[in-house]
Amino acid sequence: MTPCFNEILEMVETLSAEEQTDLMNIVRYRQIERRRQEIADNIARSKTEYRDGNVFRGTLEEIMSELMK
């Protein structure tokens, strides 16, 4: 069974101040790495779409006109 959020908070409270700081640093690092991977995935997908010709290019007016279709 997965602990609920409040149970996790209670478990964190049992850690020393140093352990809590380490935990916060680890969680933050993992968030940064996850976001970095999302950005890399978006770049790869965009490159593929561009290479395959699936990217619309034009002026703002042309883009707005295309979106309104």
Side-chain angles (χ1 to χ4, degrees), residues 3-64:
C4 72
F5 188 76
N6 285 333
E7 291 172 328
I8 294 170
L9 287 176
E10 289 175 14
M11 290 188 315
V12 169
E13 287 294 320
T14 67
L15 299 174
S16 70
E18 183 179 340
E19 289 170 324
Q20 288 181 20
T21 299
D22 289 345
L23 177 61
M24 289 188 304
N25 289 335
I26 291 168
V27 170
R28 183 68 186 133
Y29 173 80
R30 288 182 180 185
Q31 287 176 321
I32 291 167
E33 288 303 310
R34 187 171 28 255
R35 182 61 183 136
R36 185 175 287 142
Q37 187 59 52
E38 289 173 3
I39 292 168
D41 292 345
N42 287 338
I43 290 169
R45 188 171 42 256
S46 296
K47 285 181 178 180
T48 299
E49 289 175 0
Y50 182 79
R51 183 191 67 233
D52 295 344
N54 296 327
V55 177
F56 182 82
R57 294 174 57 176
T59 65
L60 177 60
E61 290 79 20
E62 291 168 336
I63 293 170
M64 292 303 294

